[in-house]
Amino acid sequence: MGKSANVTPRNSVSADSEAQRQKMQMETVGRTEDIQVDGDQSKFSAILNILRKLVGVADIIDMHLSLPSQLLDPIPNLEYWNYMESPEHFIAITESDDEVERMLAVLAWWFSKLLKHTGRVHKPFNSVLGERFFCHWDVPSSATGGSSDVSRREDTASSSITNVSVGTDDAGDKLRVEYITEQVSHHPPVSAYTYRCSERGIEAVGIDHIKAKFTGLSATVAPGSESKGIFVTLKQRGNEMYKCTHPTGNIVGWLRGTLKVQMIENSYIVCVKSGLAAVVEFKEERWFSKDKGNVSGKVFRYNKSIFGDKIASWRLKDIPKTCEVVATLGGNWDQQVTVQRTKETERLLIDMAALQIADKSVKPLEEQGDLESRRVWEPVASKMRQGKFAEASRTKRAIEENQRTLAAGRKERGEAFVPALFKPDYSASGRPELLDNAPINM
């Protein structure tokens, strides 16, 4: 059968018409800056009305939407999306001489970074290109990451936004965990990051890039193509590295008007050096279900030469019997997760309900550079905190318009954006490297 140059299937949609449809949707949604929002319920309704216009769009994030300030929370994206809710768990990864215990410590920290998702759903400011954020946490050197080291959380989501402390240099007998991040792409929105504790010889690096889709009943947020996972390296353990992938979040409760995040699908953690891997599987919660546990997992030894990268596609039922299971996990990711090693009694891996988001230390605004997150967004955030949303939206639009002007200038000059903190060849591996002369303002 010969080829036909202009044959289009009857039910197909051309790329041009699909692009035009999404452009029209974006323009419709873009005319929302003058929305008047009064209270949380009106805010919820406004967001729902916008999202309903985007049902069927493959990736909402890629549409470059500009929401009015009333629908946002007064915190920069780079500050909000950090993975050090509990830096105690991060530094504890290095402690044990037992490789299985180190894998379990990685899992405990990995669960701890989900803490922000146990509270109210937030929408931070979108980052501008070249924006950067620096902060650090001072952690007692005796901290082990156990639930006794931190106080019980009261309002996790609120503390993630109001927790804007300015640190001092009086750290005492403490370990410093640093967070360095930069927005390295605007379309699509991509940021590179590094966490490090030099005293413990541990670092974690990666690329943040998400995609989102709204179905009408739920909004699904998943890792984007640039996000390969978080890469945790223990330098004092012979550069033992753990690749940790992100779970998929499902924002539900649109019909009830009370939003919450559910984790769905599966994630994995793999350490090639030790030959250990973990598969974590989340169970989608149903309102009519009586199931008590929403997460389960297994830690196992695998043959690297046989299975290689196949683990990335495994669910728990796919783990071959030839892999030795050394520990099993169970419980609720937003409450308590337990672990049981082979031939040992079950114990608590992490108590999420007992965690409180750790205080971060950030330099005062007057000591920050023009592209540091709080310096960029404080003019908007301050108006929002005063309830002056019309002024906040005008200020926000001015920031966004300035970014468009800068982008147009680069395009006219034929210049590509060059990150200030990270080497530009991060895309293939998903493991960004800091420049030797990166201007870090810690």
Side-chain angles (χ1 to χ4, degrees), residues 119-277:
R120 187 169 69 87
V121 177
H122 293 280
K123 175 62 180 78
F125 301 125
N126 290 336
S127 303
V128 301
L129 186 61
E131 182 180 327
R132 59 206 69 161
F133 181 73
F134 310 106
C135 73
H136 70 269
W137 296 263
D138 292 317
V139 185
S141 58
S142 59
T144 61
S147 59
S148 62
D149 294 311
V150 288
S151 56
R152 187 171 185 81
R153 82 168 182 261
E154 295 179 0
D155 185 353
T156 298
S158 175
S159 62
S160 68
I161 286 179
T162 60
N163 187 359
V164 292
S165 62
V166 177
T168 67
D169 292 329
D170 184 18
D173 186 21
K174 295 184 177 181
L175 304 174
R176 173 172 287 199
V177 177
E178 297 180 336
Y179 173 40
I180 302 161
T181 183
E182 180 182 14
Q183 191 75 10
V184 294
S185 170
H186 192 56
H187 299 315
V190 173
S191 60
Y193 59 83
T194 292
Y195 302 90
R196 63 189 184 186
C197 176
S198 57
E199 296 95 334
R200 288 289 177 91
I202 181 173
E203 72 171 16
V205 304
I207 296 293
D208 270 337
H209 173 215
I210 61 173
K211 59 183 180 180
K213 185 175 182 179
F214 186 65
T215 65
L217 295 177
S218 66
T220 301
V221 181
S225 59
E226 296 286 340
S227 178
K228 307 295 194 299
I230 308 174
F231 298 85
V232 180
T233 301
L234 311 186
K235 296 180 180 180
Q236 297 176 3
R237 300 282 179 183
N239 287 325
E240 185 174 88
M241 188 178 72
Y242 298 80
K243 178 182 179 179
C244 315
T245 63
H246 296 284
T248 295
N250 207 23
I251 304 174
V252 299
W254 297 93
L255 297 181
R256 297 190 301 271
T258 304
L259 300 183
K260 65 172 290 187
V261 177
Q262 294 181 354
M263 295 299 160
I264 60 174
E265 301 179 2
N266 62 294
S267 299
Y268 71 92
I269 298 174
V270 62
C271 177
V272 174
K273 191 173 188 294
S274 67
L276 285 169

Side-chain angles (χ1 to χ4, degrees), residues 343-362:
K343 299 180 181 180
E344 293 186 10
T345 57
E346 185 180 70
R347 72 178 196 260
L348 185 67
L349 178 69
I350 187 169
D351 187 352
M352 297 288 285
L355 293 184
Q356 181 177 338
I357 291 180
D359 289 335
K360 64 175 77 74
S361 295
V362 185

Side-chain angles (χ1 to χ4, degrees), residues 393-440:
S393 291
R394 286 194 292 270
T395 304
K396 175 176 173 287
R397 283 198 297 270
I399 292 172
E400 293 167 343
E401 184 58 38
N402 181 58
Q403 288 300 303
R404 284 189 280 270
T405 300
L406 293 174
R410 284 192 299 270
K411 183 176 181 180
E412 185 177 343
R413 295 188 300 270
E415 296 177 358
F417 170 77
V418 179
L421 305 180
F422 294 90
K423 297 178 181 179
D425 54 345
Y426 56 82
S427 190
S429 67
R431 297 170 55 191
E433 294 183 54
L434 281 170
L435 293 166
D436 294 336
N437 60 345
I440 297 170

Side-chain angles (χ1 to χ4, degrees), residues 24-55:
M24 292 175 63
Q25 285 180 307
M26 185 172 69
E27 290 174 347
T28 300
V29 175
R31 295 191 294 270
T32 60
E33 290 285 1
D34 295 324
I35 289 177
Q36 298 300 312
V37 179
D38 182 19
D40 286 342
Q41 186 60 37
S42 294
K43 178 177 179 178
F44 166 82
S45 300
I47 293 174
L48 183 57
N49 287 335
I50 292 172
L51 288 176
R52 280 173 174 161
K53 300 173 184 177
L54 301 176
V55 172

